[in-house]
Amino acid sequence: EVQLVQSGAEVKKPGESLRISCKGSGYSFTSFWIIWVRQMPGKGLEWMARIDPSDSYTDYSPSFQGHVTISADHSISTAYLQWSSLKASDTAMYFCARRIAVAGGAVDWFDPWGQGTLVTVSS
Amino acid sequence: QSVLTQPPSASGTPGQRVTISCSGSSSNIGNNTVNWYQQLPGTAPKLLLYTNNQRPSGVPDRFSGSKSGTSASLAISGLQSEDEADYYCAAWDDSLNGYVFGTGTKVTVL
């Protein structure tokens, strides 16, 4: 079974650093990009960034560029999302998902999704 | 900010047909395929339809999708109580050089 399992909920203070993880299993981890999506409380989905685990090439949404960093360790089939200095406004649920691409990458979709990691930032 | 616009809510009685629209532009829906995701309360999103109208294995044929120009739509026929969820459209945007999601539609079964 293809699945993505994310790390557990985190409670942090403003200014602290954090790294959350997303571990893939049941498929070749380096054959599919991983994407990260934010969902703030009671709000919709926002695409944050994507990474190619085979070479760690990354793409960021302008809204998140410079505030988060994504990475991957293909030796343990795990992708990461990290912050160096959290803000209260980073409080949200974060999802990872596997990107399936066909037609040379021109057509793609996300499946499956991780269960989500709730990050709470509060003083 | 979402660049794909959906109605905030939709509802119907069991057995009815519900349609959700997703309005975009030439840089996203007009030039790329649309996917739909279902998010049941308190759970992660799940792929519902891909490449405009393709159903993954396990998704009931009550769910169907279409695309025309810069708009797409999701139809649920034979509405069931377990269909109560939030539904999101999504597409790649050539101008933003990134993925965009719809504003989301909450479906209520009356």
Side-chain angles (χ1 to χ4, degrees), chain A residues 35 37 39 43-47 50 59-60 62-63 95 99-100 102 106-116, chain B residues 1-2 32-33 35 37 39 43-47 49-51 56 86 88 90 92 96-103:
Chain A
I35 65 119
V37 171
Q39 187 169 39
K43 302 298 184 182
L45 306 173
E46 302 172 87
W47 175 69
R50 61 181 183 175
D59 247 344
Y60 291 87
S63 300
F95 297 101
R99 171 188 180 249
I100 298 175
V102 298
V107 175
D108 59 1
W109 56 92
F110 309 140
D111 182 55
W113 292 60
Q115 84 278 18
Chain B
Q1 70 284 6
S2 300
N32 297 291
T33 57
N35 306 310
Y37 299 93
Q39 188 175 30
T43 70
K46 168 195 157 187
L47 178 67
L49 296 173
Y50 64 97
T51 319
D86 293 323
Y88 295 92
W92 176 262
L96 297 175
N97 220 28
Y99 297 101
V100 288
F101 285 94
T103 47

Side-chain angles (χ1 to χ4, degrees), chain B residues 11-78:
Chain B
S11 63
T13 56
Q16 276 191 328
R17 175 183 172 92
V18 168
T19 301
I20 300 168
S21 61
C22 174
S23 178
S25 68
S26 58
S27 64
N28 42 66
I29 294 178
N31 201 40
N32 297 291
T33 57
V34 177
N35 306 310
W36 289 89
Y37 299 93
Q38 178 193 56
Q39 188 175 30
L40 296 169
T43 70
K46 168 195 157 187
L47 178 67
L48 189 66
L49 296 173
Y50 64 97
T51 319
N52 305 327
N53 56 17
Q54 301 300 300
R55 277 178 286 105
S57 172
V59 173
D61 59 7
R62 304 184 286 104
F63 294 93
S64 62
S66 64
K67 188 185 100 165
S68 179
T70 58
S71 293
S73 64
L74 166 69
I76 310 173
S77 56

